[in-house]
Amino acid sequence: MKRSNDRARERLLLFALRLIFTLFLPLFLTILHTALTQLANKLPGEMSSDVSMVSDDEQPLGAISSTNGTAKSIINGNGHLKVEPADSAMSEDDSPPLSTYSKATQSRKPNGIIKSEASSEDDDDVPLASSPAKPTKSATRSKPAAQSRKRGRPSKHVQSSDEEEEVPLASSPAKQTKSAAIRMPGASKATTKQVNGNGVVKSESDGESAAPLAKRKRASTGKTKAPPKKKVKMEDSEDEDDAPAPVKKPRKSKAKVKAESEAEASSGDEKPKKAKGKKAALKKSKDESGSPEKPKRKGKAKEEADEEEVYRWWEAQQANGDGEEKWQTLEHNGVIFPPPYEPLPSNVKMKYKGKSVDLPPEAEEVAGFYAAMIETDHAQDSTFNKNFFDDWLKVLKEYPPRNNVKITSFESCDFRPMYEHFEAEKAKKKALSTAEKKELKKQKDAVEEKYVTCVLDGRKEKVGNFRVEPPGLFRGRGDHPKKGALKFRVRPEDITINIGEGIPVPVPNMSGNWKQVVHDKTVTWLANWVENVNGNYKYVFLAAGSSLKGQSDMTKFEKARELKNHVDRIRQDYNADLRSKVMADRQRATTMYFIDRLALRAGNEKGEDEADTVGCCSLRCEHVTLEAPNFIIFDFLGKDSIRYYNRVSVEPQVFKNIRYFKENKEDSDNLFDRVNTSLLNKHLASYMKGLTAKVFRTYNASITFQQQLDENTPANASVQEKLNAYNQANRMVAILCNHQRSAPKTHEQSMGKMRDKLRSFKYDRMKLRHVLFSLDSKYKKKKLYADDESDLDDDWIEEHEDSLKKKEIERTEKKFAKDNEKLVAEGGKPHKDSVLQEKIEAVEADFNKLAKERGTQKATLKRERPVDKIEEAIQKLDDKIKTFKLQMDDREAGKEVALGTSKINYLDPRITAAWCKIHDVPIEKIFSKTLLVKFPWAMEVQDGWKF
């Protein structure tokens, strides 16, 4: 009996303890949560430093579990601390992932699965500031607080999955990223989708880190391989993400999901924001039908574009400077060499003094280089011919003709048979069907596929010029002394490969070994070699849209923009030095005046075997003419042998200096004999780090462009008028930088076509006017319709209508043939030729009617239309005519100006992007697809940005 009473008392005591624990524990946790939240808000930086558990690598804030096993406290991405009850705590042997807890919690299942409990309405995905890394086991407990004070940047909110998902422990990254597994329809596994610190969206599982290698700790050796990829269809995504094999996970009941979501919503975190746009639509469709509706695809190109990762380097980190490491790991397949020479058919021979010459392949190949060009301007140039023949004779000496013909005179050589063969081969290729051309392109792409991309710091990047230039004849620019010289075939023994240490060295696609293999992380080239004509280095770089090229461009324009802060002081100093008693200082100040005001290139010394092109520092007395009172005439060959001619007024002191510098000198003497480019750039660098004459040129181009756009862009105007203003500003920069070109040979022809097209618009307008006159004669008195269209005479109208008639008959015949093919394919009988004849006769009848209407100011339409619709159509034609005239004016004005050079190299692309936003002009009308790929960082410029 006593034992029974003791047991009853024990049970009663246990029940009382449980009741007290149940009643008072939530109150205690609430008080503790409030206190810790206030402390976290007051000292977010210190709290993150003291509380977060990090591995050896720098880690952001994560989750920590309390030591008593009854509760755990969590610091989310906003620096808020919250406490969860004991049922979600982990044992000391379990190491929870240091992942982002932004409006979400994670708990441990008995089977070792981490459960992600997220609110159903999260913010849109936002790129994080840091990338994930793997945690070591129990790192969150064993490491003392004193050893874990490396601070990580707190992450922004990242949207979680719409469902409650479970993530394998091994797949959770140590850094602060958002991770959520998504169940596949009919699949037994799941993947995790992450937005890492670089803004790259990736899918991962089984412990593979999704972050690019570039964003991991710099101290690492960088020998990690990129995770294997597998296409998996994601339910909540409109594209297909590359992801490893998914892991099996159980699905939670809807009731439990709802209960936990409500409990979490009241736990003290910030109120979740509603999902917007496409994600909200997907969520809504899922709520209604149980699974999200899959958006429709927009073609194969869209799918391929969706599958490509976009590395937002401009958000991830700042560009590296010269001499610093540009990458950690680099893997590529080298370069692709041109195919070997294929000898010509035995019946195709060049002739010497009327006799066929049997050349060995080595000599025949060089002869073919010249034969292919005999109808070009190059073959009419004596320097080109001399250099070719001299180099060919050297080849003939080593590989003489098989039939012992002695070739000594260039004039006696006849390359016409070879030329005709090449032209016939071109015609054959041109005559190939579309399917055959596509097949050839497909084969070529398959051969080059592995050379197109490389793996830089764990991510794919496109390679630029991966093809080695084939042998040929050097053309040069302008009056180059070496034009026509033979360019040798480049072999593997000529090429140095730059690749990551420990990476397998690529095998050349022709016999031979690389000259050298280096592992230089401070340069961005993948391969280089020295060409034989001028002894210049040739490089293989990444493509224009790559991260390294983008960083280089952005650094260049930021450097030019920084010059704004120093340019006033520089100008003040060189204006003072224009009167300096030290001759070297006075000459330097004068060159700086020209570089600043005229955007001249600095100019380098040239050898005798190089083209005689000059810049500011290398001007000779013959290049400068003085004209009183203060005009200077420049006349010299600049870069690429483009003539620079300019008559400018200058400051009186500058005029006086040039006259003084020319005294007692010959025309061939240097004008600035005490200044060179190195001394000038060294002086400029004393004002600003990295400042050179080239930076001045970029600055002057961009600032001039910005000023021209601000001053001359019309506010209330059509898109074409704004585009004309943009192109005019671009032309002003091109003129400043001397970006000239010869008018295209087809310019007049294309302008003639444009004039005919403009007349066709006017013809259409005239016919609509005449329709109005036929309907009501009062329209003849209205000023808007009374005047006849200019430059439409009867002869042109007759010719135009005949042309329209021929096109309409051709269209009718093609449609008839296509319809017959369709009928035969469906098992039917084709239409008889009489049907086609009837249709042609109907077309001829329509145009005979037009012929009768000429000169009557009356016309009818095939289908009747209301008067207001006709008036509307005339108004549209008026607008079209106005726009087309503007296009013609723009093309005529730019026929001798190269607008592309400044747009690619000298104009900050952010100026264009900001201008397009302000004036509602589609940037696609200005930037080609290539430029949009080259300058992705500039497309996100803030509103109202100025250079």
Side-chain angles (χ1 to χ4, degrees), residues 521 533 553 766:
K521 298 180 181 179
V533 177
D553 288 337
M766 179 191 72

Side-chain angles (χ1 to χ4, degrees), residues 513-527:
N513 298 315
W514 304 115
K515 177 182 179 181
Q516 189 180 2
V517 178
V518 299
H519 316 288
D520 191 351
K521 298 180 181 179
T522 64
V523 297
T524 59
W525 52 265
L526 310 185

Side-chain angles (χ1 to χ4, degrees), residues 607-887:
E608 293 182 359
D609 58 347
E610 295 180 88
D612 185 21
T613 58
V614 298
C616 187
C617 294
S618 53
L619 284 171
R620 297 192 293 272
C621 294
E622 61 184 317
H623 298 139
V624 178
T625 304
L626 298 175
E627 184 180 300
N630 63 332
F631 288 95
I632 295 180
I633 300 174
F634 294 91
D635 191 358
F636 58 89
L637 292 181
K639 184 180 179 181
D640 297 336
S641 296
I642 295 176
R643 183 187 181 192
Y644 181 91
Y645 181 89
N646 198 3
R647 177 179 179 270
V648 294
S649 62
V650 298
E651 300 291 334
Q653 185 61 41
V654 174
F655 185 87
K656 185 188 297 184
N657 287 351
I658 296 299
R659 186 173 58 191
Y660 182 57
F661 299 156
K662 291 185 68 173
E663 286 182 358
N664 302 320
K665 287 183 180 179
E666 300 292 333
D667 286 347
S668 58
D669 292 338
N670 285 339
L671 180 65
F672 303 110
D673 53 354
R674 304 193 185 189
V675 179
N676 57 44
T677 306
S678 299
L679 292 174
L680 176 63
N681 285 334
K682 185 177 180 181
H683 175 72
L684 290 173
S686 66
Y687 290 99
M688 187 185 93
K689 183 180 179 181
L691 179 59
T692 63
K694 186 175 182 179
V695 177
F696 247 108
R697 186 172 167 85
T698 305
Y699 162 78
N700 276 320
S702 290
I703 199 69
T704 300
F705 185 57
Q706 182 75 74
Q707 292 169 354
Q708 289 291 319
L709 286 178
D710 291 345
E711 294 172 4
N712 300 321
T713 303
N716 299 318
S718 65
V719 171
Q720 187 58 49
E721 288 174 317
K722 293 175 182 177
L723 287 174
N724 278 27
Y726 178 93
N727 289 336
Q728 178 59 26
N730 197 351
R731 271 192 290 272
M732 296 301 294
V733 174
I735 292 170
L736 173 69
C737 297
N738 198 41
H739 295 153
Q740 301 180 27
R741 66 170 183 175
S742 300
K745 294 180 180 178
T746 58
H747 176 72
E748 285 304 321
Q749 182 180 354
S750 63
M751 290 301 295
K753 290 181 179 179
M754 292 186 79
R755 284 189 287 269
D756 283 340
K757 189 173 182 179
L758 179 63
R759 287 183 185 137
S760 69
F761 292 151
K762 293 180 179 180
Y763 172 84
D764 294 340
R765 184 181 184 277
M766 179 191 72
K767 299 304 290 184
L768 289 174
R769 283 175 51 247
H770 291 175
V771 170
L772 285 179
F773 297 165
S774 299
L775 294 174
D776 192 340
S777 59
K778 70 179 182 181
Y779 281 101
K780 292 182 180 181
K781 299 178 181 179
K782 290 188 177 182
K783 185 176 181 182
L784 181 62
Y785 308 113
D787 295 334
D788 291 334
E789 285 71 18
S790 59
D791 64 5
L792 291 188
D793 53 55
D794 292 340
D795 291 339
W796 185 90
I797 292 174
E798 182 178 355
E799 183 180 343
H800 178 64
E801 289 178 350
D802 288 343
S803 174
L804 291 177
K805 178 180 175 181
K806 290 178 182 177
K807 290 179 181 178
E808 187 63 27
I809 291 175
E810 289 177 3
R811 191 180 301 114
T812 302
E813 291 172 343
K814 287 181 180 179
K815 188 177 184 305
F816 178 78
K818 191 174 181 180
D819 290 343
N820 275 351
E821 289 178 3
K822 188 177 180 181
L823 286 172
V824 172
E826 293 174 351
K829 293 183 179 180
H831 294 301
K832 296 181 179 180
D833 291 343
S834 59
V835 176
L836 174 62
Q837 189 60 37
E838 289 176 2
K839 292 183 177 181
I840 293 177
E841 288 175 356
V843 171
E844 290 177 341
D846 289 338
F847 280 92
N848 289 337
K849 186 178 179 181
L850 286 178
K852 293 178 181 179
E853 291 174 351
R854 290 176 201 159
T856 63
Q857 290 197 342
K858 292 182 180 181
T860 56
L861 297 173
K862 290 183 179 180
R863 289 177 296 177
E864 292 186 2
R865 296 166 65 182
V867 172
D868 58 337
K869 293 294 183 182
I870 298 175
E871 291 178 342
E872 183 180 336
I874 292 176
Q875 182 59 46
K876 287 181 178 179
L877 278 172
D878 286 340
D879 295 339
K880 188 180 289 188
I881 290 169
K882 181 181 178 182
T883 300
F884 199 73
K885 283 181 176 178
L886 290 170
Q887 291 176 354

Side-chain angles (χ1 to χ4, degrees), residues 21-39 70-73 81-86 263 266-269:
F21 184 83
T22 304
L23 292 174
F24 289 96
L25 179 60
L27 179 62
F28 169 76
L29 293 178
T30 302
I31 296 172
L32 179 61
H33 167 256
T34 304
L36 291 177
T37 302
Q38 292 175 354
L39 181 59
T70 61
K72 69 174 183 178
S73 54
L81 186 67
K82 64 179 180 181
V83 178
E84 290 206 340
S266 61
S267 65
D269 274 356

Side-chain angles (χ1 to χ4, degrees), residues 350-362:
M350 68 156 290
K351 295 181 180 180
Y352 184 74
K353 295 183 178 179
K355 182 179 180 181
S356 296
V357 182
D358 187 9
L359 294 171
E362 294 81 2

Side-chain angles (χ1 to χ4, degrees), residues 465-524:
N465 51 330
F466 56 85
R467 301 180 190 88
V468 174
E469 189 178 9
L473 301 182
F474 177 70
R475 303 186 186 191
R477 294 179 182 269
D479 193 19
H480 200 288
K482 288 191 174 182
K483 55 187 174 182
L486 176 62
K487 294 188 296 183
F488 297 155
R489 183 179 292 273
V490 179
R491 303 185 181 278
E493 290 77 8
D494 304 317
I495 294 180
T496 298
I497 292 292
N498 188 27
I499 200 168
E501 197 169 358
I503 301 297
V505 178
V507 179
N509 70 318
M510 65 178 294
S511 60
N513 298 315
W514 304 115
K515 177 182 179 181
Q516 189 180 2
V517 178
V518 299
H519 316 288
D520 191 351
K521 298 180 181 179
T522 64
V523 297
T524 59

